[in-house]
Amino acid sequence: MPRLYIMKGADKVQSLEVRADTIHIGRAPENDIQIADGSVSRKHLIIRWKLNKCFITDLKSKNGTIVNGKRIPPGHEIEVQEGIPIGIGKTVIALGRVCLDDKPDAMHTTGFTKGFSEHGEAFLQDRPMTPQKNMELIYKASSALMQSININENIHEILGKILNYLLDLLQRVDRGAFILVDSETKEISELIPILKKSNGDGVRSYSRTIVERVMREGKAVVMLDTFSEDKANLSESMEIMKVRSVMCVPLISRSQVKGVIYVDSINQPYGFRKEDLSLLTALSIPAAFAIENASLHSNLGG
């Protein structure tokens, strides 16, 4: 049986040997694996092994289960490959190995993405494998978010720090933003931007078409090279801003989209690898939880 890897908050990666064909995961002590995470449901997830294949089922958990950038439907058994990060609450688990392999031809995304071309593979050769750096980024981001909850530090400052961490790691990304929506009107209410390179109208430039689609559908979108995309999937503003790569992941808490994490590159295609979608998805889980907590605190007049 494969090993199970667990990473949550500021804790180190924990490795467990799995000795049963079926295991239950959740916050309650009666689970086979108990996760001490308030954003994990008491009975959150079942993992089953059948004929050397792994299947998971979300048990209609409060905050859902995210696999490879996509929220899976509750109550439906889904096959999961080894090394694919599984997001439950603020916790990330993986089976068999901690990180995804780095083969660009195995790109898996949702939305209107295209596969890597031979040119895309060449663009990524200058970026070394970064599984350890990815883990360090999630560690720092989760620690910062937990700190904001514990001491009521300004959530906007924390999100700005996380964007800086992210842009430091993703060298081909030029801009990033947390874009938040009003819980009642569903309109964009706040923008927390970070700009690496100056371009035209600056930090407030982002593809509204992509952002609105992700918020509407609750699914991540990745475009590796906009020049290879169907023109129907592109907006005029993307062409004006010369966006060549874009990745956008929803921030979901209690089954509601709270906003998105948005990053793009200007003039340069193939700025992302498949592990980067999983990285943004892993970051989105604790970020959405912290944003909701900050909102509740504000509404209570704290």
Side-chain angles (χ1 to χ4, degrees):
M1 302 294 288
R3 298 189 71 81
L4 178 71
Y5 296 89
I6 304 173
M7 193 195 75
K8 58 189 180 80
D11 295 339
K12 295 180 180 179
V13 176
Q14 182 182 5
S15 173
L16 301 174
E17 183 179 357
V18 178
R19 298 183 178 181
D21 291 332
T22 301
I23 59 173
H24 292 71
I25 298 177
R27 197 176 73 252
E30 60 264 26
N31 289 281
D32 300 302
I33 297 178
Q34 182 183 12
I35 305 291
D37 177 346
S39 58
V40 171
S41 294
R42 290 182 59 80
K43 296 180 179 180
H44 198 111
L45 187 71
I46 293 178
I47 301 179
R48 291 189 177 93
W49 281 267
K50 304 176 184 178
L51 301 175
N52 296 321
K53 294 183 179 180
C54 177
F55 300 85
I56 66 171
T57 305
D58 179 86
L59 299 175
K60 299 182 179 179
S61 61
K62 181 188 298 184
N63 292 316
T65 299
I66 297 175
V67 176
N68 207 32
K70 183 177 180 181
R71 180 177 294 266
I72 65 173
H76 292 266
E77 195 170 63
I78 304 295
E79 182 179 357
V80 177
Q81 301 295 322
E82 287 190 0
I84 297 294
I86 302 168
I88 57 172
K90 295 179 295 179
T91 299
V92 178
I93 64 177
L95 303 164
R97 57 180 182 270
V98 175
C99 294
L100 293 163
D101 63 82
D102 240 352
K103 296 178 182 178
D105 58 357
M107 182 77 174
H108 296 292
T109 59
T110 58
F112 28 79
T113 206
K114 303 263 185 181
F116 272 88
S117 69
E118 58 184 357
H119 304 294
E121 186 171 352
F123 269 105
L124 294 175
Q125 289 176 353
D126 65 346
R127 180 179 162 199
M129 294 177 63
T130 56
Q132 183 60 39
K133 289 186 178 295
N134 286 0
M135 299 299 285
E136 290 173 358
L137 172 59
I138 297 172
Y139 171 92
K140 290 194 295 185
S142 297
S143 298
L145 288 166
M146 288 305 298
Q147 182 183 32
S148 74
I149 294 171
N150 293 335
I151 66 174
N152 195 31
E153 187 172 346
N154 190 312
I155 186 65
H156 300 84
E157 293 180 6
I158 296 296
L159 295 179
K161 288 180 184 179
I162 292 172
L163 285 174
N164 277 313
Y165 297 154
L166 186 61
L167 267 62
D168 283 344
L169 178 62
L170 304 181
Q171 293 296 312
R172 292 188 175 274
V173 169
D174 298 319
R175 302 180 300 190
F178 276 93
I179 302 170
L180 309 185
V181 297
D182 185 273
S183 59
E184 295 182 0
T185 66
K186 306 303 180 184
E187 297 293 326
I188 294 174
S189 60
E190 295 183 75
L191 175 70
I192 300 123
I194 296 294
L195 181 68
K196 187 184 293 183
K197 293 182 180 179
S198 178
N199 184 68
D201 50 1
V203 296
R204 296 196 176 274
S205 294
Y206 64 88
S207 171
R208 184 174 288 271
T209 300
I210 297 296
V211 169
E212 289 180 349
R213 174 170 180 151
V214 171
M215 291 193 298
R216 181 175 65 252
E217 298 182 356
K219 298 178 181 179
V221 166
V222 175
M223 289 186 182
L224 301 172
D225 184 3
T226 58
F227 283 12
S228 66
E229 292 286 340
D230 189 323
K231 291 295 183 182
N233 292 331
L234 304 176
S235 65
E236 183 179 353
S237 64
M238 292 178 69
E239 297 185 25
I240 293 174
M241 291 187 293
K242 300 180 181 179
V243 173
R244 287 297 303 272
S245 296
V246 60
M247 181 160 51
C248 189
V249 174
L251 297 163
I252 300 176
S253 180
R254 300 181 187 274
S255 300
Q256 292 187 340
V257 176
K258 304 295 182 180
V260 302
I261 306 176
Y262 174 96
V263 294
D264 68 15
S265 61
I266 307 301
N267 298 319
Q268 187 167 238
Y270 303 101
F272 316 114
R273 302 195 295 201
K274 73 173 180 185
E275 67 178 35
D276 298 333
L277 177 62
S278 299
L279 173 63
L280 249 67
T281 300
L283 288 175
S284 75
I285 298 167
F289 183 76
I291 289 166
E292 181 172 13
N293 273 0
S295 177
L296 288 173
H297 182 82
S298 176
N299 291 337
L300 289 174

